[in-house]
Amino acid sequence: MNGGFSLYYFYYLLEGMGWTVVLSALAFVVGGAAGFIVMLARISRSAALRRLVFVYVQIVQGTPLLIILFVVYFGLGIFGVEMPPLFAAGLSLMIYCSAFLGEIWRGCVEAVPRTQTEAAECLALTRWQTLRDVVLPQAARIATPPTVGFLVQVLKSTSLASVVGFVELTRAAQVINNSTFQPFLIFGIAGLLYFALCYPLSIWSRALERRLNVSRRQA
Amino acid sequence: MSVVVKLEDVHKSFGLVEVLRGVSFEVSAGEVVAIIGRSGSGKSTALRCINRLEKIQSGSIEVCGRRVEAPDLDLRALRQDVGIVFQSYNLFPHLTVEENIVLAPRRVKNVKGAEAHALARTALEQVGLSDKIDAYPEQLSGGQQQRVAIARSLAMSPKVMLFDEVTSALDPELTGEVLRVMEKLAKGGMTMIMVTHEMGFARRAADRVIYMHTGKVWETGTGAMLGSPQTPELKNFLANEL
Ligand SMILES: Nc1ncnc2c1ncn2[C@@H]1O[C@H](COP(=O)(O)OP(=O)(O)OP(=O)(O)O)[C@@H](O)[C@H]1O
Ligand SMILES: [Mg+2]
């Protein structure tokens, strides 16, 4: 094992990078679904539900992701819940995503002018039809750039999963460094690999934003 | 003639400000009523109370035999009977003209496929925009957008149409096309209540004119009333409008 950096190590990093993508996708898809429910609850007509979910969002947003991760991984472990690292990291990130995406999307829904809702309701559409056919399609256009932007954050945040021993990109780099002692090289490569994942997303987000601004100007 | 809309001693406040202070009037089937008055006199609020976009504090409003202020009102049934067109068009920007028009008939009345398409065509013919069926709102002029908004309302076959200063956001050269559509509707027998700043139009198209002042119906009469105002307030208002 000892000796310089080799192709074998590079494959090991790539494998870690694969798990980073898997973890991000998992957190994003499941967290996105939960975030959608958070958004619906935040705009619900029931004040009690709105307040309850507001408290949830505040707690999650006010807690470092690492703490959420520890609570899920070690905390639930005490109750005898078997927690594979992938599952613990996925669940923590999902909770994190649900709160942030819920709030981002609520903002986008509320950015659709009230007059649109009014016009739809004046045409005898129900509240749900109004949301689905009139508000959400417009909110989705507004939401795309910040959502992609948030995806970049999530991708980088998956590195925290390394502390519970989940071998994603960061953990893989640590493991290699422990035997090769070339931190600049190895973490440098890991950084580049993160960059290779995030940069296209950033570009995409900016392109979406530009397109949105153009269509705004025409409207 | 049957009464379609009837307001009786309607009071409406926003917080401490009383905006409608005992408004009463009736509109019969086929009648065209113009509401005029200074900014802030409560014209829009009166219209918005008729289809319960706003709730009233006291008095009663009856639309097509329904009590609008009743707690058990079937709001969606009311909204099917009452069409409303706003100053700012409020078309759905992500939908084409046709989709804008057929959305409500599809969802509310379960109109489908070819029938929905025919409905859109008919409504667009009424406003003279058949060639714009596939356009998006942002590709249309203000006047055209407003005519689509009228078509969208018409497609639900309302029993009464409310218009709130529908030409106020338009350039002068575009108001004509919208007013012509409204006059055609009026001639076709549609029951209409329209808030307007176009005095010439009110005089020409309306069977009756209601002048509102400080939240009350101050003066009412035929279009000729605009030529011989009885109250100093209306006289003053007309002098400033011209
Ligand atoms: N949602 C609201 N909340 C508080 N005050 C309101 C609200 N809507 C209207 N008002 C107030 O009620 C009064 C009457 O408003 P309304 O819009 O009915 O007047 P209007 O006659 O339509 O005037 P304009 O010609 O400018 O459209 C105004 O003083 C306005 O500020
Ligand atoms: Mg008004």
Side-chain angles (χ1 to χ4, degrees), chain B residues 4-5 25-35 47 83 150 154 159-163 166 178-195 201 205-208:
Chain B
V4 178
V5 176
F25 63 81
E26 275 185 24
V27 181
S28 304
E31 211 180 1
V32 176
V33 172
I35 301 180
L47 279 196
I150 294 173
L154 288 176
K159 300 203 175 79
V160 52
M161 289 274 287
L162 313 177
F163 297 88
V166 293
V178 175
L179 296 182
R180 272 193 296 281
V181 165
M182 289 169 69
E183 284 193 69
K184 208 172 83 184
L185 271 182
K187 290 216 179 74
M190 176 62 78
T191 310
M192 296 165 52
I193 306 176
M194 49 199 198
V195 171
F201 173 67
D207 302 312
R208 200 144 48 87

Side-chain angles (χ1 to χ4, degrees), chain A residues 107-175:
Chain A
C108 296
V109 163
E110 284 173 358
V112 176
R114 266 225 43 89
T115 50
Q116 288 284 308
T117 309
E118 212 164 69
E121 287 180 350
C122 283
L123 289 164
L125 295 188
T126 62
R127 209 176 124 79
W128 174 243
Q129 289 167 340
T130 299
L131 189 68
R132 190 191 55 192
D133 294 326
V134 175
V135 178
L136 288 183
Q138 296 183 58
R141 281 173 71 179
I142 310 172
T144 314
T147 303
V148 176
F150 181 71
L151 180 53
V152 173
Q153 302 267 330
V154 171
L155 222 146
K156 288 186 290 186
S157 302
T158 55
S159 63
L160 290 175
S162 62
V163 301
V164 298
F166 180 65
V167 187
E168 39 63 72
L169 181 49
T170 300
R171 182 77 192 146
Q174 279 172 345
V175 168

Side-chain angles (χ1 to χ4, degrees), chain A residues 13-65:
Chain A
L13 279 183
L14 283 184
E15 202 180 321
M17 180 172 158
W19 282 110
T20 291
V21 172
V22 169
L23 184 56
S24 305
L26 193 72
F28 201 73
V29 171
V30 184
F36 191 78
I37 293 167
V38 165
M39 180 275 286
L40 289 178
R42 289 282 282 128
I43 60 170
S44 120
R45 264 196 283 200
S46 151
L49 184 59
R50 278 202 309 270
R51 215 163 307 134
L52 185 75
V53 175
F54 176 73
V55 170
Y56 167 78
V57 167
Q58 291 303 307
I59 291 175
V60 175
Q61 288 193 335
T63 310
L65 179 55

Side-chain angles (χ1 to χ4, degrees), chain A residues 115-116 118-126 129 132-135 137-138 141 215 218-219, chain B residues 48 51 53 76 79-80 82 84 86 90-94 103-104 107-108 138 152-153 156:
Chain A
T115 50
Q116 288 284 308
E118 212 164 69
E121 287 180 350
C122 283
L123 289 164
L125 295 188
T126 62
Q129 289 167 340
R132 190 191 55 192
D133 294 326
V134 175
V135 178
Q138 296 183 58
R141 281 173 71 179
S215 65
Q218 285 168 348
Chain B
R48 292 168 62 85
N51 77 345
L53 278 173
R76 297 184 61 217
R79 300 255 166 99
Q80 287 185 55
V82 182
I84 185 164
F86 302 94
N90 302 347
L91 293 179
F92 307 129
H94 60 297
L103 175 62
R107 295 286 183 256
V108 179
E138 65 182 21
R152 183 174 68 175
S153 246
M156 289 294 281

